[in-house]
Amino acid sequence: MGDEVIIEQNGVELSNVEEGPTGKEKIDIEEDESADDRPAWDNKIQYLLSQIGFAVGLGNVWRFPYLCQRNGGGAFLIPYLIMLVIEGIPIFHLELAIGQRIRKGSIDVWNQINPLLGGVGVAMVAVSFLVALYYNVIIGWCAFYFFNSFQAPLPWATCPGNGTVLECEKSSPTAYFWYREALDTSESIEDGGGINWKMMLCIFTAWLIVCVCMIKGIKSSGKAIYFTATFPYVVLLIFFFRGVTLEGAGDGLAFLFIPRVEKLADPIVWLEAATQIFFSLSVAFGGLISFSSYNPRKNNCTRDAVVVAIINSGTSIFASIVIFSVLGFKALTDSRKCLQEFQVVMDNNVPDFASQNMTVTASNYMDLWGTYNTTDTAVRDFNFGYCSKEGNLNNAVGGTGLAFVVFTEAMNQFYPLEMGPFWSILFFLMLANLGLSSMFGTLEGVITPLRDAGIWKWRKEFLVVLLCVVCFLIGLIFAQYSGSYWLDIFNDYSGTFPLLIIAFFENIAIVYVYGLNRLSDDLLYMTGSRPNIYWKVTWMFLTPVSMLVIFGATIYTEATRTITYKGWDSALGQVVDKGPYPWWGEMMCYVLICLPTLFIPLVFVLRLTGLMPYRGETLKAKQKRTVPGAISKQNLVTDSVTSVSGSIAAFPANGVINPASTAL
C-alpha cells in the first residue's frame, strides 16, 4: 500500500504518493456519502436540538445556581467564562469534528485514529453506560412527583396526621414527603431494606419511555427531541416571569449576582468552575461523537460547537435567575413566618409585651432575644433557624435537595395556592424532559459505537431493547430503600473523574498523535476554513494544561479527605453526616473511577503485543489509499472547496485522463 506508482501520460508524470513535508499534496479518499446507508438527521435544526438537549441537562438547573451562589455570586462567572473559553469549547469542538470527519461511533473513531488508542472509545462507552444506569432513575423520581401532582391539595403541601407524625413536624412537609413517602429511605447505606415498589415502577416507566423514543435510533429520538429539548425553555420562561414578579425576588437575584470578589482568591472556586464547564457540556461521553457522526461531512462543526456551548452556558445563567428569584421569595416568606412565630412566643410569655403593642421585626428580633432569654425558657429555646433572610439564602442547596424539597416548598407558597398543582406539573415535566434529552445522547454513546465497531451485528432495535432491560435490572439497586445513597456514589464518581482522564487523552491523541496539521486539513474540507490561532493555542497548550491542573487538584483533594456520606435521620427530621462509607462502599467509589479508565492502558497493551490486533483500516491508511485516477506532480490543481481534509485533486495538462491507462 505504501509503494509509489508512477505513470507517464502525455509527457506528465502521475503519482499516487503525497510529496513534500507540508502534506498539501497528500491523497485522501472521501467515501461516497450517497452510497452510505448510515442514518442521517432530517435537518440541521434536529441535529442542533439533539446536541443542545444532550448538553443541557439537570445540572444546568440544579447544580450551576448552587455553585454560583456558593462561590462568590457574580464573581463566579469570571472563572466560569474563562474556563468555558480555554477548556469547554475547544474539547467540544474536537469531538464534533472527529465524529463528523470519520462518521463512526467512539470505538471506531479511536481505532481509526490509532488502534493503540482504541481503549479511549471503550472507556467512553463504559462511562456512558454507568451514567445511564443512575441518570434515568432521576427521571423516574420526576415521574413519581409528576403523577402525584394531579391532585389538590398537593400531597407535600401539609404534614399528614394532624401533627401526630413527629418526623414531618420536625422537618417540613416537602422534606418528609421526599425522604419518607417517595424514597422511604433507610437510615444508612448498609440497610438495604428491600425494593421500594413505587420507585421500581417509576424507574421502569422511565426506561420504557427511553426505549420507545430510541427504538428507531435518531429517526425516533430525533422526532422526540423537538419536544424534549424545547419544552424546558418554555417552562423556564414561564417560571421566569412568575419568579421575577414574586416579592423578595430582587433579594434572591442580588444575592446571586452581586460579586464577592474576595472569593476569586480561593483556588477551589476556579476548580469548581472548570469542573462545571467540563461536565455540563457532556464531553468524553461519546454521545457528541455519535450525534455528529450522522452529519454530512460538509458541515460547519466549528460554528456548531460555539453555538451549542454558548446556549448551554446561557441556559445555566438563565436557570440561575429563575431559581434564585424563587428562592428569594422563599427566603423572605420563611423569614416572615419565623418572626411571626417569635412574635407569638413573646406575646404569650413576656408580660406587657402584647399590651405595649411591641412588634418583632427583622432588625430587632435578636435584641429582643438577648433581653428576654434569661427570664423565659420559651424565648431562650426558640429556634431562629429561618428568621434571617440572608441566612436562608446562604443555606441554598443543589441537586435533589433543591428540586424535590426546597423549590417544591417554594411552589407551595405561590399565589393563588389553588395553582399549586399547575406549577408542580410544569416543573417536574420540565425536569423529566431535561433528563430525557440528555439520556438520548448518553445511550447513543453506547449504542452507536457497539454497532459501528461490529460488536453488535443484529438489528438496532434489539440492541436498544436489550440495553434498556439490562440497565433497568442493574438499576434496581437504586430502587432499594438505600437507593439514594447508591445514586450519590454513582453521581459523584462514575461521571466525573473518569471523564477528565478520557478528555485529556482525547485532546493529546487528536492534536499530537493524529496531528494538528491533518486536523486542520480535515476542518478545511468540512467547514471551508482552517482553525484560527485561538483553536490552535487552546488545543496545543491551554486545554491540556488546564485539565492537568484540575486532575492534580482533584487527586490531592480526594487523597487528603475521608470519603463520607450524608443521609436522612428520621428521629431528627433532617439530613445528617453519616460518617465514612463501609469498606465495600468505598471500594465501589474506586471501582467506578478506575473501571472505565483502565480500558485505555489495557487496549494499548493488547494491541501493542498483538493479542488483540485491529483488523480494520485506519484513517491514515484511507488517506494514502490509491485513487481510481492519478495525481500529477507537475500540474496539481487544488480545489479549495472539494479537495481538503488531506485530499488534492490533480489533473494532466490536457484535462483528460484515460482510465485504462491509469489503473494502478
Side-chain angles (χ1 to χ4, degrees), residues 462-489:
F462 297 155
L463 177 58
V464 172
V465 172
L466 178 63
L467 181 62
C468 290
V469 170
V470 170
C471 286
F472 167 71
L473 293 176
I474 298 176
L476 289 179
I477 188 175
F478 306 112
Q480 298 181 102
Y481 296 106
S482 60
S484 60
Y485 303 119
W486 284 101
L487 188 136
D488 287 339
I489 289 178

Side-chain angles (χ1 to χ4, degrees), residues 15-84:
S15 172
N16 71 319
V17 176
E18 66 184 58
E19 177 178 312
T22 64
K24 292 182 179 179
E25 300 177 1
K26 60 187 179 180
I27 295 176
D28 178 17
I29 304 302
E30 293 295 341
E31 291 82 2
D32 184 6
E33 292 180 30
S34 63
D36 190 356
D37 61 353
R38 188 171 188 78
W41 300 104
D42 291 345
N43 51 66
K44 184 65 174 285
I45 296 297
Q46 188 182 74
Y47 164 68
L48 287 177
L49 286 177
S50 296
Q51 292 286 26
I52 291 169
F54 182 34
V56 177
L58 296 170
N60 297 73
V61 174
W62 69 26
R63 177 169 169 78
F64 177 82
Y66 167 65
L67 289 177
C68 200
Q69 174 268 333
R70 190 177 71 177
N71 292 306
F76 181 72
L77 294 177
I78 297 174
Y80 176 81
L81 293 176
I82 290 175
M83 290 301 172
L84 172 66

Side-chain angles (χ1 to χ4, degrees), residues 140-141 144-145 148 151 154-161 164-169 171-186 195-200 202 404-405 479-481 568 570:
W141 291 348
F144 178 79
Y145 269 75
N148 277 279
Q151 53 185 303
L154 292 168
W156 51 82
T158 57
C159 285
T164 60
V165 181
L166 296 181
E167 183 179 1
C168 185
E169 298 299 326
S171 55
S172 69
T174 53
Y176 174 80
F177 186 86
W178 169 239
Y179 289 106
R180 186 56 55 218
E181 296 294 335
L183 299 180
D184 199 7
T185 185
S186 60
I195 297 293
N196 181 341
W197 65 269
K198 292 180 294 185
M199 285 297 104
M200 183 187 72
C202 289
F404 298 105
V405 179
Q480 298 181 102
Y481 296 106
W568 179 251
S570 57

Side-chain angles (χ1 to χ4, degrees), residues 97-427:
I98 61 173
Q100 182 175 306
R101 169 63 183 87
I102 302 176
R103 303 190 83 231
K104 296 290 183 181
S106 57
I107 294 178
D108 239 24
V109 158
W110 292 106
N111 282 335
Q112 290 195 25
I113 289 176
N114 192 311
L116 296 178
L117 299 172
V120 176
V122 180
M124 287 181 167
V125 172
V127 168
S128 292
F129 178 77
L130 292 174
V131 169
L133 288 177
Y134 78 86
Y135 204 85
N136 216 34
V137 173
I138 301 175
I139 300 176
W141 291 348
C142 294
F144 178 79
Y145 269 75
F146 175 75
F147 294 141
N148 277 279
S149 297
F150 291 90
Q151 53 185 303
L154 292 168
W156 51 82
T158 57
C159 285
N162 295 319
T164 60
V165 181
L166 296 181
E167 183 179 1
C168 185
E169 298 299 326
K170 290 180 178 180
S171 55
S172 69
T174 53
Y176 174 80
F177 186 86
W178 169 239
Y179 289 106
R180 186 56 55 218
E181 296 294 335
L183 299 180
D184 199 7
T185 185
S186 60
E187 292 294 320
S188 72
I189 191 173
E190 297 174 277
D191 179 15
I195 297 293
N196 181 341
W197 65 269
K198 292 180 294 185
M199 285 297 104
M200 183 187 72
L201 289 178
C202 289
I203 294 171
F204 174 79
T205 301
W207 278 113
L208 182 62
I209 294 173
V210 169
C211 185
V212 170
C213 289
M214 296 195 65
I215 193 70
K216 294 292 185 181
I218 64 170
K219 291 298 182 184
S220 54
S221 66
K223 300 296 188 298
I225 203 67
Y226 286 113
F227 178 76
T228 60
T230 57
F231 181 75
Y233 288 97
V234 176
V235 176
L236 279 175
L237 195 62
I238 294 173
F239 270 99
F240 169 77
F241 288 112
R242 184 67 185 101
V244 296
T245 57
L246 292 170
E247 187 180 9
D251 296 324
L253 295 179
F255 192 86
L256 174 66
F257 286 118
I258 291 178
R260 299 183 290 279
V261 293
E262 67 278 2
K263 281 282 191 177
L264 294 178
D266 185 355
I268 297 299
V269 173
W270 291 82
L271 177 62
E272 292 199 334
T275 304
Q276 175 63 14
I277 275 292
F278 184 80
F279 300 126
S280 69
L281 286 172
S282 300
V283 296
F285 280 95
L288 298 176
I289 296 176
S290 295
F291 277 161
S292 63
S293 73
Y294 298 120
N295 271 336
R297 286 202 176 89
K298 295 295 186 68
N299 173 67
N300 195 335
C301 56
T302 302
R303 182 178 57 204
D304 295 345
V306 175
V307 168
V308 174
I310 290 177
I311 290 176
N312 176 71
S313 295
T315 302
S316 295
I317 296 173
F318 183 63
S320 298
I321 296 174
V322 174
I323 295 296
F324 270 88
S325 63
V326 174
L327 292 184
F329 161 74
K330 182 179 182 300
L332 178 63
T333 304
D334 289 348
S335 175
R336 286 178 175 174
K337 181 180 178 182
C338 179
L339 295 176
Q340 289 170 1
E341 292 174 352
F342 188 52
Q343 177 80 49
V344 173
V345 170
M346 294 295 292
D347 288 342
N348 294 338
N349 295 279
V350 177
D352 300 329
F353 190 84
S355 61
Q356 296 178 17
N357 293 322
M358 297 179 66
T359 304
V360 175
T361 65
S363 59
N364 70 2
Y365 73 93
M366 289 307 297
D367 293 334
L368 292 173
W369 180 83
T371 301
Y372 296 104
N373 75 84
T374 58
T375 60
D376 188 90
T377 56
V379 175
R380 183 189 64 201
D381 296 336
F382 185 81
N383 181 12
F384 292 99
Y386 296 100
C387 285
S388 170
K389 181 173 58 180
E390 291 74 17
N392 293 339
L393 288 169
N394 267 320
N395 292 328
V397 297
T400 55
L402 172 65
F404 298 105
V405 179
V406 177
F407 203 86
T408 305
E409 186 174 341
M411 289 188 296
N412 284 342
Q413 301 167 8
F414 285 1
Y415 291 100
L417 297 180
E418 293 76 14
M419 291 287 289
F422 169 76
W423 296 113
S424 182
I425 290 169
L426 279 184
F427 181 67

Side-chain angles (χ1 to χ4, degrees), residues 1 27 29 31 617 620-627:
M1 174 152 320
I27 295 176
I29 304 302
E31 291 82 2
E617 188 177 25
K620 289 183 180 180
K622 286 183 180 181
Q623 291 173 334
K624 294 179 180 179
R625 250 196 287 142
T626 306
V627 293

Side-chain angles (χ1 to χ4, degrees), residues 75 126 256 507 542 599 625 656:
L256 174 66
N507 189 167
L542 296 181
F599 285 110
R625 250 196 287 142
V656 178

